[in-house]
Amino acid sequence: MDRFLKTSILLLLGAFLFMRVMDGTVLYYINQRFVLLTWLAAGGFLLVAASYYLVSGQHAHAHSHDHDHGVLTWAGLLIVALPLLLGWLVPPRPLGAAAIGNREINVGSMGSLASVAPPQSGSVLGLSAGEKNILDWLNDFQRQSDPAVFSGQEAHLIGFVYRDGRFADDTFMVARFTVSCCVADAAPIGLIVQWPDAAGLPADQWVDVTGHFEVGTFNGQEIPILVADEITLTEPPAQPYLYL
């Protein structure tokens, strides 16, 4: 029984990692450059499971019945199996608007980039965007001191909706998370969007936004604001994060 349980857990760990890579949801947790390592880990678990089953079987036949090597206790089994159970039972989801409120956010002002704590309401905001993606626009904003440089430039981007008490009824932030290693170091960034029906967009809804920049003021800063010409609801992309 002990041999069977240990082998089964190793097989299930390997299968779990394999499935997360195959369905793409591993990118909800790690930077894409670590996918190969996840493949290797999945294969490693499967190989260890197979070798353990074979070696432990041969080892058991080679020893007398009164020779005790110990057994896997139920407490030990639970500790090892708990992460696996949580991984199977909790549906994988990318970070969204709910994760912004307890994180600092990069706010791009013209010619500078500052890291600021969440406002008193407990929510936060940020800006940038593009296709160029959100991060590309943020970098462009840093290189300019005059927001009027971006007036009339068109942008197309995908992100999720974020709003707090500072947003007027016709504005929201289209946001993404940047990831360097994994979701533990994820940081939110976004672009302020002006849209007549912004108040009707639910938080966390992913949207596809097409529009053009105009100079506007938000939270006391003069910044490029994306005036939306078209917004459509969409599903999260296969790679929901932007990678540093």
Side-chain angles (χ1 to χ4, degrees):
M1 184 64 174
D2 181 64
R3 175 188 176 201
F4 174 77
L5 287 175
K6 289 179 179 179
T7 303
S8 297
I9 290 176
L10 290 170
L11 287 173
L12 288 172
L13 283 170
F16 173 76
L17 292 177
F18 178 78
M19 290 178 62
R20 286 291 179 260
V21 174
M22 290 299 294
D23 65 14
T25 56
V26 69
L27 295 175
Y28 293 176
Y29 308 107
I30 62 173
N31 190 305
Q32 59 185 357
R33 67 175 179 265
F34 299 123
V35 171
L36 176 59
L37 295 178
T38 307
W39 272 114
L40 295 175
F45 277 122
L46 297 178
L47 288 174
V48 171
S51 62
Y52 175 80
Y53 186 82
L54 294 174
V55 171
S56 62
Q58 295 172 359
H59 189 74
H61 286 95
H63 286 73
S64 63
H65 293 292
D66 61 350
H67 190 71
D68 184 16
H69 287 274
V71 296
L72 180 65
T73 66
W74 287 109
L77 179 62
L78 179 61
I79 292 173
V80 175
L82 184 58
L84 181 62
L85 291 173
L86 292 175
W88 283 108
L89 296 176
V90 179
R93 291 183 58 189
L95 295 176
I100 292 183
N102 59 4
R103 295 170 185 256
E104 292 187 351
I105 188 166
N106 287 329
V107 177
S109 58
M110 306 311 297
S112 66
L113 177 64
S115 182
V116 298
Q120 294 299 318
S121 64
S123 302
V124 284
L125 112 74
L127 81 106
S128 327
E131 183 172 88
K132 308 175 184 178
N133 58 42
I134 292 175
L135 188 59
D136 294 329
W137 280 113
L138 178 60
N139 290 330
D140 283 353
F141 292 166
Q142 287 183 260
R143 290 190 287 266
Q144 295 291 338
S145 59
D146 182 7
V149 169
F150 299 94
S151 293
Q153 292 190 31
E154 296 183 352
H156 171 238
L157 58 119
I158 295 176
F160 61 86
V161 174
Y162 174 77
R163 303 182 79 249
D164 62 37
R166 296 166 297 165
F167 289 81
D169 289 342
D170 64 345
T171 59
F172 69 96
M173 185 174 78
V174 59
R176 299 281 286 269
F177 278 87
T178 60
V179 169
S180 177
C181 177
C182 63
V183 294
D185 60 39
I189 58 174
L191 176 69
I192 305 302
V193 178
Q194 188 174 39
W195 174 250
D197 300 322
L201 294 173
D204 266 343
Q205 172 63 56
W206 283 79
V207 290
D208 188 315
V209 182
T210 302
H212 63 281
F213 289 111
E214 292 183 5
V215 178
T217 301
F218 185 85
N219 204 35
Q221 297 186 60
E222 192 174 63
I223 58 174
I225 289 180
L226 185 62
V227 178
D229 299 317
E230 182 181 5
I231 292 180
T232 56
L233 307 185
T234 187
E235 295 296 319
Q239 295 181 339
Y241 307 131
L242 302 176
Y243 300 106
L244 299 176

